[in-house]
Amino acid sequence: MCRKPAHRLMKSFEPYMSSKMSAALFWVIGLALILPSYSQDSEQAYLDPHNSARAAVGVEPLTWDKTVADYAQNYANQRAADCNLVHSNGQYGENIAWGTGDMSAAAAVKSWVDEKAFYDYASDSCAAGKECGHYTQVVWRDSKRVGCAKQKAMSSKMALMALFCVMGLALILPSYAEDIQKEYLDAHNKARAVERVPPLTWDNKLADYALNYANKRKVDCKLIHSNGEYGENLAWSSAPEVTVTAAVQWWVDEKAFYDYNSNTCQAGKDCGHYTQVVWNTTERVGCVKVMCDGLNGALGGAFYGCNYDPPGNWIGDKPY
C-alpha cells in the first residue's frame, strides 16, 4: 500500500493548548463524503481514530457534520477523475490522501496522526523536511465538526490499478469561517443602514450554494453568473489578499452610478451590484471567497461570490 497525504499551510496558533501562541498559522483544508456501502469507512470509522488522537492531547471530541460531508462529496466527485492531491481552497480545514487497494478510513486517519512524531510542541514546528500539518488539523482544539469521504478513481487506467482517492477530514475552523461571515455581513449591513433598510442575516444554505458554484468557476474565475434562483453578486481580484470587505465595497461604490429618481444606472456604468446589496426585501445572504487555480493561462487571484434570498433587482421596482 502506498499513500500521498497533502496539506496546506497558512497561519494560526498551536493546536491544542490555549495558553500558547505561534507566529506560523496552520490551516489544513478539508472535504468529506460518506459511502454507506463501505462499513470500514462509516462515519464512526472516521470519528473513532480522530477522537482517539484528540483524547490523547486532552481536546474535545469531534462530531459528524452532514453539511461538511456534502461539501466534501461535491469536491470528491470533482477529484475522482484524476485523484490529484489538490486542495479545494474552500472555507474548511482539509486533510486528503490516496492509497492503492481498499485503504480504510482508519488507515487514512492513522497516516495523518502518525505525523505526531514530526511535530515539536515547544517550537510549534515540524521536523525539517517532514510533514506534520495533517496531525495538527486532526487535534486542532477549535475544530468541532468533521465529515469524511472515500472515492474510487474514475479513470479506467487507475481503476485497473485499484487506486483510490481517500478524501478525508473536513473541519470547520471558527477562527476563519465565522470571521469571514462577520466581514461579509458587516460590509453589507453598513451599506444597508445608510439607506435605512433592515440588516441581512447569514444563511448557510446560500453560502453552500455560493461555494458550490465558486468551486466550478475557480478553474477560470470568469464572472459568469450561475443563473440560479437567488440574487447574486460576483467579483474577482488579481490580488488574492484583497479582503471580502473590499470586495463588497466595490459593489457598494456603484451607488455613485445609481439615480434613485429614475431608478436607472448612469450610461455605460454598472449599479446592479449596489442595488442588490441594499435591496429592501432581501433578508438573507451567504458568501464565499476561493482562490483561482490560475492554470493553463487562466486567471489567478481570488473569486468572491454572494447569493441573496429573496433576490433583488426586480425590473420596475426600486431597491428601497
Side-chain angles (χ1 to χ4, degrees):
M1 178 179 293
C2 60
R3 61 178 176 82
K4 291 184 180 179
H7 80 285
R8 187 163 65 94
L9 293 178
M10 289 179 69
K11 180 188 174 185
S12 188
F13 37 85
E14 295 186 343
Y16 43 82
M17 289 296 287
S18 59
S19 62
K20 304 188 74 172
M21 297 291 290
S22 169
L25 159 66
F26 280 118
W27 179 3
V28 188
I29 289 202
L31 64 95
L33 163 65
I34 307 167
L35 295 183
S37 59
Y38 291 88
S39 60
Q40 66 175 0
D41 305 311
S42 64
E43 296 174 10
Q44 204 61 44
Y46 278 106
L47 279 172
D48 286 348
H50 277 90
N51 289 334
S52 177
R54 292 171 70 85
V57 293
V59 296
E60 295 295 318
L62 301 173
T63 58
W64 192 263
D65 188 283
K66 186 179 183 300
T67 298
V68 179
D70 289 344
Y71 171 87
Q73 178 170 5
N74 176 63
Y75 188 64
N77 290 341
Q78 295 177 43
R79 284 267 66 89
D82 56 24
C83 281
N84 288 340
L85 297 181
V86 178
H87 280 286
S88 62
N89 295 321
Q91 68 198 80
Y92 301 116
E94 181 172 90
N95 282 350
I96 55 179
W98 71 261
T100 57
D102 193 6
M103 188 180 190
S104 68
V109 178
K110 184 178 184 298
S111 73
W112 302 325
V113 173
D114 284 348
E115 292 179 3
K116 181 178 182 178
F118 309 126
Y119 176 65
D120 180 68
Y121 181 78
S123 63
D124 189 27
S125 62
C126 304
K130 299 293 186 179
E131 301 277 5
C132 67
H134 304 93
Y135 165 69
T136 55
Q137 176 61 95
V138 169
V139 298
W140 199 264
R141 182 187 65 254
D142 291 335
S143 293
K144 306 298 182 184
R145 297 169 292 277
V146 65
C148 300
K150 178 176 179 177
Q151 179 62 46
K152 186 175 182 179
M154 292 174 62
S155 164
S156 59
K157 181 178 180 180
M158 287 186 173
L160 289 172
M161 295 171 65
L163 282 180
F164 287 78
C165 294
V166 183
M167 302 290 187
L169 183 57
L171 299 114
I172 297 172
L173 297 182
S175 60
Y176 175 79
E178 291 178 8
D179 283 354
I180 203 170
Q181 290 177 19
K182 186 177 186 302
E183 287 181 39
Y184 267 121
L185 276 176
D186 286 351
H188 278 85
N189 289 334
K190 179 181 178 181
R192 292 174 69 86
V194 171
E195 310 305 341
R196 299 183 180 180
V197 295
L200 300 176
T201 58
W202 188 264
D203 188 287
N204 285 329
K205 181 180 178 181
L206 292 173
D208 288 343
Y209 178 91
L211 181 59
N212 179 60
Y213 185 64
N215 280 332
K216 295 177 181 177
R217 280 267 64 88
K218 70 178 184 178
V219 295
D220 56 24
C221 278
K222 292 181 179 179
L223 298 181
I224 300 171
H225 282 287
S226 64
N227 296 318
E229 62 188 294
Y230 305 117
E232 184 170 85
N233 280 347
L234 304 176
W236 168 82
S237 172
S238 61
E241 66 272 16
V242 168
T243 66
V244 301
T245 300
V248 177
Q249 190 60 46
W250 293 336
W251 302 328
V252 174
D253 285 346
E254 292 180 2
K255 180 179 181 178
F257 310 127
Y258 175 64
D259 181 71
Y260 183 81
N261 291 328
S262 63
N263 194 29
T264 59
C265 303
Q266 182 179 324
K269 299 292 186 179
D270 286 324
C271 66
H273 302 93
Y274 164 69
T275 54
Q276 174 60 90
V277 168
V278 298
W279 200 267
N280 182 53
T281 58
T282 297
E283 299 174 354
R284 296 171 295 280
V285 67
C287 306
V288 293
K289 172 185 176 181
V290 300
M291 298 301 110
C292 305
D293 288 345
L295 302 176
N296 300 319
L299 295 174
F303 182 91
Y304 308 77
C306 288
N307 288 95
Y308 305 84
D309 189 44
N313 286 344
W314 292 99
I315 295 175
D317 292 345
K318 289 186 175 182
Y320 46 84

